[in-house]
C-alpha cells in the first residue's frame, strides 16, 4: 500500500521520461511543482433563501510555453490534489500537441445535480468573480470538464465581460457557438481519439471492423460511440456511474444516446436494446478489441487490470489507468494510447476556438475537422515512432515527446551550466 498522492504518482511519468532525455535539472525542478494554486470559497444564495459555501480552486501548473489552459470540473469529490494533477497532465498534453499553452485546471466541490438551474448559474458566475484576475486570454483560459458544459462557459464568459467592461470571448473555450464557440468543439475529444485509432489501426491490430467497450457515457463516451459506430465498428458495452450493459452483437447507439439525453441510465435502456445488465466494474473485462475509459481517474487498477481482454485501451478520460495497472497491461501486451495524446482533441479544438476568437474570423466545420485530423495524426505518428525507436510504452513515448518540447522552452531561459560556467 502506498500513501503517495495522485500528483506524486503522476510525477513518476515525468521522472521516467526524463531518464530517456538529456535534460537539465532545472527542467525537473520547474515541472515537479505547480506554479500557483488558488483556493477560495464561493458563497451563493440558494433558491430557498439560504446561503451556501462551496470550495473552489484554480491551478496554473506551468506557463513556460504559453498561457495556462485547462477545464473546470464540478464534482462532489474534487480535491486540490486532483486539480493540480489534472493541471500537470494539461501541461504535458498541450506540449504533446505542440499547442502554445501551458497547463491549468479548476474545480468546484459540488454535486451539480443537486442544484437548480438558477443556483448553477449563480455558482458559475461566482467562480468567475473569484478568479477574474487569475484567468485571461493571455494568462489562463478555462474550458469545460466533467459536469460542466457550454452553457456554464457562456455564463462565465459573460461574467468576465461584465467585470472587465469588455467583450473577450477568448477568455474561455467550449462556449455556445452563438457566443463565440467553435464548430466541432462538442465532439472534439472523441473525434481526436477516433482519428488517432484510425490512423494507427494497422499498427494497433485494429484494421477492419472491431468491437468497442466504453466506460462512462457522457460527452466523450457518447461521441466516441457515435463516431465508431458510423465507421462500421460494434459498440458491445457501455456504462455510466450507475451500471453497465453488454450486448455482444452490438448496441443501437442512436437509441442509447436518445435514452441518455432523455435523462435515463444505461441500465434502464437494457431491455429495449436487448442487452444484459452487468456490474459497472465488469465493463473493464468484457470481450472487446478496444476498451475506451471515458469516465474518471484511476478506474483501471492493480485489482482489475488482469481482467482486460481488449488489445488496445484508448484513454479518453484523464488518468484512468494507474501506474501499477499500466505495468500489468504492458506485460500482457495491451497497448495503452495515453490520455495526454488520446483525449487531446478537446484542447486542440479549444485552441482553434481561442484562435478564431482572437482573429475574429471563424472557420467552417470541414476546416476544423481537417486541422484536427492533421494534428492528431502528426503528433500520434511522432509518439508512435518514439515508442518503437526506444522500445518504450506509448505513454512513455508521449511524455518523452512532450518533455522534449517543455525542456527546450525551459532551457531557453538559460540553465545551470550557462550561469555557473
Ligand atoms: P461527462 O460528465 O460528460 O461524462 C462522464 C461520464 O462518466 C458520465 O456518463 C458518468 O455517469 C460516467 N461515470 C462517472 N463515474 C463512473 C463510474 N464509476 N463508472 C462508469 N461511468 C462513470 O464528462 P466528459 O466530458 O465526457 O469527461 C469524461 C472524461 O474525459 C474525464 O476524465 C475528463 O477529464 C475527460 N476529458 C474530457 C474532455 C471533454 O472535452 N469533454 C476533454 C479531455 C478529457
Amino acid at each position: 500500500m502506498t500513501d503517495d498522492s495522485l500528483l506524486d504518482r503522476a510525477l513518476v511519468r515525468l521522472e521516467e521520461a526524463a531518464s530517456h532525455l538529456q535534460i537539465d535539472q532545472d527542467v525537473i525542478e520547474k515541472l515537479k511543482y505547480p506554479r500557483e494554486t488558488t483556493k477560495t470559497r464561493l458563497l451563493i444564495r440558494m433558491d430557498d433563501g439560504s446561503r451556501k459555501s462551496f470550495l473552489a480552486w484554480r491551478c496554473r501548473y506551468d506557463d513556460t510555453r504559453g498561457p495556462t489552459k485547462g477545464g473546470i470540473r464540478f464534482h462532489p469529490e474534487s480535491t486540490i490534489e486532483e486539480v493540480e494533477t489534472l493541471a500537470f497532465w494539461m501541461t504535458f498534453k498541450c506540449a504533446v500537441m505542440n499547442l502554445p499553452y501551458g497547463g491549468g485546471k479548476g474545480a468546484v466541490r459540488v454535486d451539480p445535480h443537486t442544484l437548480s438551474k438558477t443556483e448553477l448559474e449563480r455558482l458559475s458566475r461566482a467562480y468567475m468573480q473569484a478568479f477574474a484576475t487569475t484567468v485571461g486570454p493571455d494568462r489562463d483560459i478555462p474550458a469545460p470538464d466533467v459536469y460542466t458544459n457550454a452553457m456554464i462557459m457562456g455564463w462565465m464568459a459573460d461574467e468576465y465581460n461584465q467585470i472587465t467592461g469588455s467583450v473577450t470571448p477568448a477568455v474561455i473555450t467550449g462556449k455556445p457557438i452563438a457566443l463565440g464557440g467553435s464548430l466541432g468543439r462538442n465532439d472534439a475529444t472523441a473525434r481526436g481519439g477516433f482519428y488517432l485509432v484510425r490512423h494507427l489501426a494497422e499498427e494497433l491490430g485494429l484494421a477492419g471492423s472491431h468491437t468497442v467497450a466504453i466506460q462512462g457515457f457522457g460527452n466523450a463516451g457518447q461521441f466516441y460511440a457515435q463516431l465508431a459506430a458510423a465507421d462500421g465498428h460494434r459498440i458491445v458495452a457501455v456504462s455510466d456511474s450507475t451500471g453497465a450493459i453488454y450486448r455482444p452483437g452490438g448496441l443501437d447507439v442512436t437509441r442509447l444516446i436518445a435514452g441518455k439525453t432523455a435523462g435515463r441510465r444505461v441500465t434502464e435502456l437494457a431491455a429495449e436494446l436487448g442487452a444484459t445488465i452487468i456490474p459497472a466494474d465488469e465493463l473493464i473485462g468484457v470481450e472487446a478489441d478496444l476498451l475506451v475509459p471515458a469516465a474518471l481517474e484511476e478506474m483501471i487498477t492493480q485489482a482489475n487490470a488482469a481482467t482486460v481482454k481488449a488489445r488496445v485501451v484508448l484513454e479518453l478520460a484523464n488518468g484512468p489507468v494507474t501506474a501499477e495497472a499500466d505495468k500489468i497491461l504492458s506485460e500482457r501486451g495491451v497497448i495503452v494510447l495515453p490520455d495526454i495524446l488520446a483525449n487531446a482533441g478537446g484542447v486542440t479544438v479549444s485552441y482553434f476556438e481561442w484562435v478564431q476568437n482572437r482573429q475574429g474570423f471563424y472557420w467552417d466545420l470541414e476546416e476544423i475537422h481537417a486541422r484536427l485530423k492533421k494534428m492528431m495524426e502528426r503528433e500520434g505518428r511522432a509518439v508512435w515512432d518514439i515508442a518503437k525507436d526506444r522500445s518504450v510504452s506509448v505513454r512513455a513515448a508521449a511524455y518523452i515527446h512532450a518533455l522534449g518540447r517543455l525542456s527546450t522552452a525551459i532551457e531557453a531561459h538559460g540553465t545551470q551550466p550557462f550561469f555557473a560556467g
Side-chain angles (χ1 to χ4, degrees), residues 73 75 86 90 93 105 144-148 185-186 188-190 214-222 239-243 260 280-281 293-297 299 315-320 339 343-347:
R73 176 173 292 200
H75 197 276
L86 287 160
M90 283 306 297
K93 194 181 300 183
K105 205 78 181 190
D145 191 66
V146 175
Y147 299 152
T148 53
R185 177 62 186 86
N186 57 352
T189 301
I214 303 176
Q215 179 190 51
F217 209 57
N219 172 297
Q222 289 184 28
S239 66
D240 59 22
S241 57
T242 61
K260 275 302 275 186
D281 54 0
L296 295 171
E297 299 93 75
M299 304 296 280
E315 292 187 331
L316 285 191
N318 285 308
D339 46 9
N343 70 29
V347 68

Side-chain angles (χ1 to χ4, degrees), residues 150-162:
M151 184 171 255
I152 292 174
M153 298 304 110
W155 288 330
M156 289 184 176
D158 183 56
E159 195 62 32
Y160 184 81
N161 291 343
Q162 292 188 33

